[in-house]
Amino acid sequence: AVTGVQTCALPISARVDPQPVAFPADDAPHNRLTEWWYVTGHLAAADGERFGYEFVIFRARRGSFPVTWASHVAITRETTGAFAYAQRSEVGPQVDMRDRLARGASAAFVLGGDTPWTMLVAADGSMTLSGDAGGTELALQLAAGGAPVLHDTDGWVGFADAGGSYYYSRTRMPTVGTFTSNGTTRAVSGSSWFDHQWGDFIAIGGGGWDWFALNLDDGSDLMLSFVRDASGGYPLVYGTWVDPRGRVRRIDGADIAL
């Protein structure tokens, strides 16, 4: 059992967990307390310059309050170490544009501003992203890659009294697109890792967490999650290994050290 965790509020969903994870239905938003769609990746331009990026959308429901959204975009120039970051937040259902923006999309989000930020997830798992940070605009297309990876065997990670989270990843999504800065547009390509989590949880552990998503040169992928309590201990540790042939294996916390 997991101990040293904070208890969440009463769930707003009447569903009994865990339920089977199904695609493309579960790419969409859920009526849960906490949810995020989290993309990170490494890209390169034709001249060899390398970039890292992050694009994430958070969704929160708390009782009778309107649904709340937050989004982060970050771009790192790996060659120079320069880092740019931006964030937006919005309240209300208008961010969820599935029925108005993209017919057939499993998920579609638009956060307003001078340049709207968008994230679309198609029925086949491919994605389209657009956003900006530090004067650089990104426009990316992500192919689905391999089958979604269900963490903790069935895509459900239990947090004991703190609730639980559904969690799956698309670990190697071939990515192409452009970065535009100071009027100059550059083609980029590389690979992205997409995480989707949702559940009736608010806080776990009280001390934050460390998360690793690794694409290894031999074609295997590794996810490791370390949840800290307030004293610095790790009440919850788990991982997933995907071999080069796409076979998935759960890694028990007792077999992981940080």
Side-chain angles (χ1 to χ4, degrees):
V2 179
T3 59
V5 294
Q6 297 178 7
T7 302
C8 70
L10 291 175
I12 59 176
S13 170
R15 291 171 59 179
V16 176
D17 295 319
Q19 298 284 328
V21 178
F23 299 99
D26 279 322
D27 285 326
H30 300 79
N31 187 33
R32 297 302 182 108
L33 291 174
T34 303
E35 186 163 14
W36 58 75
W37 296 257
Y38 206 117
V39 186
T40 56
H42 294 277
L43 307 171
D47 62 3
E49 184 174 6
R50 297 186 59 83
F51 303 87
Y53 82 95
E54 174 210 39
F55 194 125
V56 58
I57 290 179
F58 297 99
R59 180 184 186 275
R61 291 294 305 269
R62 299 292 185 266
S64 61
F65 292 100
V67 62
T68 302
W69 309 81
S71 184
H72 302 161
V73 174
I75 300 172
T76 300
R77 293 181 178 269
E78 296 178 5
T79 308
T80 64
F83 175 76
Y85 168 84
Q87 63 181 356
R88 292 182 181 180
S89 61
E90 205 164 322
V91 176
Q94 70 281 351
V95 172
D96 184 355
M97 298 286 288
R98 278 174 297 165
D99 297 330
R100 289 163 285 170
L101 182 67
R103 183 173 297 176
S106 300
F109 309 112
V110 177
L111 282 92
D114 293 338
T115 303
W117 291 1
T118 64
M119 175 186 289
L120 307 180
V121 185
D124 65 357
S126 62
M127 302 181 71
T128 302
L129 309 175
S130 64
D132 66 277
T136 297
E137 298 180 11
L138 60 82
L140 301 175
Q141 297 81 47
L142 288 62
V149 174
L150 303 181
H151 295 291
D152 218 23
T153 305
D154 59 358
W156 169 257
V157 182
F159 300 151
D161 291 340
S165 172
Y166 293 93
Y167 180 17
Y168 68 86
S169 301
R170 294 185 172 97
T171 61
R172 287 181 185 254
M173 303 183 72
T175 302
V176 298
T178 59
F179 280 4
T180 301
S181 181
N182 298 320
T184 300
T185 297
R186 307 172 70 187
V188 293
S189 62
S191 183
S192 300
W193 180 303
F194 168 59
D195 273 354
H196 185 191
Q197 289 193 242
W198 69 95
D200 291 324
F201 64 94
I202 296 177
I204 317 162
W209 64 86
D210 299 298
W211 170 76
F212 298 85
L214 306 176
N215 296 132
L216 304 181
D217 289 341
D218 67 353
S220 59
D221 303 317
L222 177 64
M223 187 286 298
L224 299 173
S225 180
F226 301 82
V227 179
R228 298 190 301 271
D229 61 23
S231 67
Y234 294 102
L236 177 61
V237 178
Y238 62 99
T240 303
W241 174 267
V242 185
D243 76 12
R245 297 174 62 182
R247 294 174 297 193
V248 179
R249 179 171 65 88
R250 176 183 180 273
I251 306 175
D252 189 81
D255 298 324
I256 304 171
L258 177 62

